[in-house]
Amino acid sequence: MSIENKVVLITGASSGIGEASARLLASRGAKVVLGARRDDRLRQIAEGIEEDGGQAAWRKLDVTDPQQNKDFVAFAKERYGQVDVMFLNAGLMPSSPLSALKTDEWDRMVDVNLKGVLHGIAAALPEFTAQKSGQFITTSSVAGLKAYPNGAVYGATKWAVRELMEVLRMESAMEGTHIRTATIYPAAIQTELLNTITDKGAKEAMNQTYDSYQITPDRVASVVAFAIDQPEDTNVSEFTIGPTIQPW
């Protein structure tokens, strides 16, 4: 399997999709490098992976800081000698109507959901270009495919991620650098995203949706593993994943 021995860097790895992906990929032989702001959780997850026979390292990471992203990639290369996959998974979803004018939250979403992805690309792209191989995977959202009330800014950041990944794939093909990209569009997945919502009406509506439909993050992790496990000459670009019973 092509997952085995690959060095996979994961942002937003302290919970949810990031944690589930780290555990699954490590169980299949990947060397995972975990990044997030909660270093206590990263340590706990990495120790659990190693206790189960896997290989894991961790480093505290704020994706909004360009230098921390570069240091994260350098740390992974120093630890394992190479960098094969960058899973740009960190994100925030403080949904609210535009009329609420929660501009501080708008800025945070742009900083994490969009600029955080750009910083991750900038950190890993030179390595991938030099070795003429590598893969970027990003977590977008079904809100990156269609519009939802209360999700204008969140959706805008996720639409932007879709554009970034597709152009990166095209440019890599044109430049002969063999970099693969995959974008994942989750619907209601059990994560901590809802904890960032401060608008009362938006939070109540989202809680009702998730309570009715959500599936566990390991369902997304299996898609991440599928994308990585494809032959190096094969790119699978986009995956929409959500509960069968949710009319998203």
Side-chain angles (χ1 to χ4, degrees), residues 31-51:
K31 301 168 185 177
V32 296
V33 183
L34 315 180
R37 290 177 297 176
R38 293 181 294 179
D39 51 354
D40 56 334
R41 281 290 298 150
L42 296 178
R43 183 184 295 108
Q44 181 183 12
I45 294 165
E47 289 175 351
I49 287 172
E50 291 183 333
E51 288 172 2

Side-chain angles (χ1 to χ4, degrees), residues 15-191:
S15 65
I17 292 169
E19 177 184 353
S21 297
R23 293 185 185 278
L24 177 60
L25 295 171
S27 74
R28 296 190 183 181
K31 301 168 185 177
V32 296
V33 183
L34 315 180
R37 290 177 297 176
R38 293 181 294 179
D39 51 354
D40 56 334
R41 281 290 298 150
L42 296 178
R43 183 184 295 108
Q44 181 183 12
I45 294 165
E47 289 175 351
I49 287 172
E50 291 183 333
E51 288 172 2
D52 290 336
Q55 297 184 69
W58 63 272
R59 184 182 178 92
K60 188 172 182 178
L61 171 65
D62 180 349
V63 297
T64 68
D65 184 325
Q67 188 59 51
Q68 287 193 34
N69 283 272
K70 293 176 183 177
D71 292 344
F72 184 55
V73 171
F75 167 75
K77 188 173 182 180
E78 181 179 356
R79 179 67 177 266
Y80 292 121
Q82 64 193 58
V83 176
D84 298 303
V85 181
M86 187 79 163
F87 181 21
L88 302 166
N89 171 68
L92 299 172
M93 190 181 68
S95 302
S96 65
L98 287 170
S99 58
L101 294 178
K102 291 182 177 288
T103 55
D104 288 347
E105 294 181 355
W106 299 356
D107 289 341
R108 286 175 55 216
M109 281 187 279
V110 171
D111 287 344
V112 174
N113 299 355
L114 178 52
K115 293 173 71 175
V117 170
L118 286 167
H119 296 327
I121 292 172
L125 188 56
E127 294 292 333
F128 291 171
T129 299
Q131 66 197 25
K132 291 194 174 182
S133 67
Q135 185 175 28
F136 287 105
I137 302 174
T138 56
T139 302
S140 179
S141 168
V142 291
L145 296 172
K146 57 191 294 187
Y148 293 94
N150 299 326
V153 179
Y154 176 74
T157 63
K158 295 304 187 177
W159 278 82
V161 164
R162 182 188 191 192
E163 168 77 4
L164 282 172
M165 288 299 100
E166 181 61 4
V167 173
L168 179 56
R169 180 195 66 76
M170 295 171 69
E171 290 180 350
S172 173
M174 295 167 66
E175 295 167 2
T177 51
H178 310 291
I179 297 167
R180 301 189 296 168
T181 70
T183 306
I184 299 172
Y185 306 99
I189 308 297
Q190 187 179 57
T191 70

Side-chain angles (χ1 to χ4, degrees), residues 213-244:
Y213 301 118
Q214 66 185 349
I215 54 177
T216 53
D218 59 292
R219 306 300 200 261
V220 181
S222 67
V223 175
V224 174
F226 176 82
I228 295 172
D229 202 33
Q230 298 309 298
E232 294 296 329
D233 65 357
T234 303
N235 191 92
V236 285
S237 296
E238 297 184 301
F239 301 90
T240 306
I241 176 171
T244 302

